[in-house]
Amino acid sequence: MTTPATVGGKAFLIAYGLFGCAGTILFFNLFLERIISLLAFIMRACRERQLRRSGLLPATFRRGSALSEADSLAGWKPSVYHVLLILGLFAVLLSCCASAMYTSVEGWDYVDSLYFCFVTFSTIGFGDLVSSQHAAYRNQGLYRLGNFLFILLGVCCIYSLFNVISILIKQVLNWMLRKLSCRCCARCCPAPGAPLSRRNAITPGSRLRRRLAALGADPAARDSDAEGRRLSGELISMRDLTASNKVSLALLQKQLSETANGYPRSVCVNTRQNGFSGGVGALGIMNNRLAETSASR
C-alpha cells in the first residue's frame, strides 16, 4: 500500500513508469511468443506421431527434410482453439493453487481467493483484497516468494489468454461483417436487371453482357458453378490475364524455381522471422503462430 507523497516521488514515478510499463509489456509479449512456440512444438510433435501411427509418414521421417516440406508439416500451425483450451486449463490450475495458498495463509474464503486471483492476475486491482498486509506470517519469506511467483505467472498466463480471446473476438467480428456486407452491399445483391460490375479481368461485367447480347447470346445463361468466371468460348487479353493473376504468376515462378532445384526451399528455424514480423505486439505474434488467424490478417 505504498504510494508516492512528495512532488519528487511523483515525478520519479512518471519517468520510471514510462520505461517500466513499456519493459513489462515487452516482457509479456516475449513470454507470449515463447509459450506459443512451446505449445506449437509440442502439438506438432503430437501431430507427427499421429501421422506416423496412421501410416501417412514413413518411419525414416526426420524434421527439416524435403519430405517435411512436401507434407506441409514445416508450415503447420496449431489451432487457436487448442491453444485457448491449454491456456485456459493452465490458468484455472494456477488460480486454484494460488487460492489454496491465500485461503490457508490470509484466512479468506476460497471463493474470495479465486476472486482475488482473477482481479490481480488480470491487473484490474480493485484493492478490496490485498495480500501480505498482516504484520507477521508463519514462514513469511517463503510466503512472499510464493506470492511473487504466483502473481508473475498468473499475470503472464492471463495476458496470453486474453490475447487468444481477442483473436477469437476478431474472427467473430470479421464473420459478422462479412455476413452484413453480403446482405447489404449492392455489389453482392444487385437489383434485378442491373448490369453486373466488373470486379476483375476474369469476372465478366456489363461490357461483356452487352457484347453477348449483340451476338444473340443470353447473358443470364450461367449456372451457379460458373458464376464469377469466364465461359469457355470467351477470350481474354494477355494484359488482363497478367494483371489479374499477379499472385498466381508469382507462385508459379516459385514452383518452377523449386522444381528446377529439385527440392522445395527449406526455411531454417533460426533465420525465420520472429513473432513481431507480421504485426505489432501480441496480435502480430498470434497471427504468425496460429492457424485460423494467418489467412485473415
Side-chain angles (χ1 to χ4, degrees):
M1 305 297 290
T2 303
T3 57
T6 62
V7 177
K10 295 177 181 178
F12 173 77
L13 174 64
I14 294 175
Y16 182 80
L18 291 176
F19 298 96
C21 293
T24 304
I25 293 175
L26 177 61
F27 173 77
F28 288 157
N29 287 330
L30 292 176
F31 178 85
L32 174 62
E33 183 182 5
R34 297 300 182 269
I35 195 66
I36 293 299
S37 300
L38 178 61
L39 292 178
F41 176 80
I42 296 175
M43 296 174 68
R44 183 186 170 190
C46 296
R47 172 74 174 178
E48 291 180 2
R49 186 177 181 182
Q50 181 181 2
L51 291 177
R52 281 198 187 95
R53 288 183 175 179
S54 60
L56 298 178
L57 284 180
T60 59
F61 172 78
R62 292 183 301 174
R63 294 181 183 177
S65 61
L67 185 61
S68 175
E69 295 285 340
D71 291 342
S72 301
L73 282 177
W76 184 84
K77 298 179 181 180
S79 173
V80 64
Y81 306 104
H82 295 164
V83 175
L84 175 65
L85 179 62
I86 294 174
L87 288 177
L89 292 177
F90 184 73
V92 170
L93 179 62
L94 191 65
S95 300
C96 292
C97 295
S99 299
M101 183 187 69
Y102 293 131
T103 301
S104 60
V105 176
E106 297 289 346
W108 300 335
D109 294 335
Y110 193 78
V111 177
D112 293 338
S113 299
L114 286 174
Y115 163 77
F116 169 77
C117 289
F118 178 78
V119 171
T120 304
F121 294 167
S122 61
T123 67
I124 296 174
F126 287 125
D128 50 350
L129 294 175
V130 182
S131 62
S132 300
Q133 294 302 304
H134 295 294
Y137 292 92
R138 179 187 299 177
N139 299 324
Q140 186 170 357
L142 185 61
Y143 170 65
R144 289 181 176 178
L145 178 61
N147 191 18
F148 168 75
L149 293 178
F150 274 123
I151 291 179
L152 180 63
L153 293 177
V155 172
C156 291
C157 184
I158 294 297
Y159 174 82
S160 303
L161 185 62
F162 283 169
N163 281 284
V164 178
I165 295 176
S166 66
I167 293 296
L168 296 180
I169 294 175
K170 186 184 73 172
Q171 291 181 358
V172 173
L173 291 178
N174 289 334
W175 178 80
M176 294 175 62
L177 289 176
R178 285 196 298 267
K179 290 296 183 180
L180 292 176
S181 63
C182 290
R183 292 182 179 179
C184 302
C185 183
R187 201 173 188 181
C188 298
C189 300
L196 294 177
S197 61
R198 188 169 184 172
R199 296 190 297 271
N200 50 47
I202 302 300
T203 305
S206 58
R207 184 183 305 175
L208 179 61
R209 292 173 65 91
R210 289 195 299 267
R211 186 181 304 175
L212 292 176
L215 294 176
D218 187 8
R222 294 186 303 175
D223 55 359
S224 60
D225 294 334
E227 183 69 26
R229 295 179 296 176
R230 287 182 178 268
L231 299 178
S232 59
E234 300 175 12
L235 299 179
I236 181 171
S237 63
M238 182 59 65
R239 185 179 63 180
D240 293 340
L241 178 62
T242 306
S244 62
N245 291 274
K246 290 182 179 180
V247 179
S248 300
L249 291 176
L251 294 177
L252 179 60
Q253 184 179 4
K254 180 181 177 182
Q255 292 176 359
L256 290 176
S257 176
E258 293 176 350
T259 305
N261 293 330
Y263 58 89
R265 296 178 182 177
S266 60
V267 180
C268 182
V269 178
N270 297 327
T271 59
R272 189 172 56 184
Q273 296 177 346
N274 55 19
F276 299 98
S277 59
V280 178
L283 290 179
I285 297 173
M286 306 299 289
N287 285 329
N288 286 332
R289 299 302 176 89
L290 299 183
E292 281 76 8
T293 60
S294 298
S296 60
R297 276 185 289 180

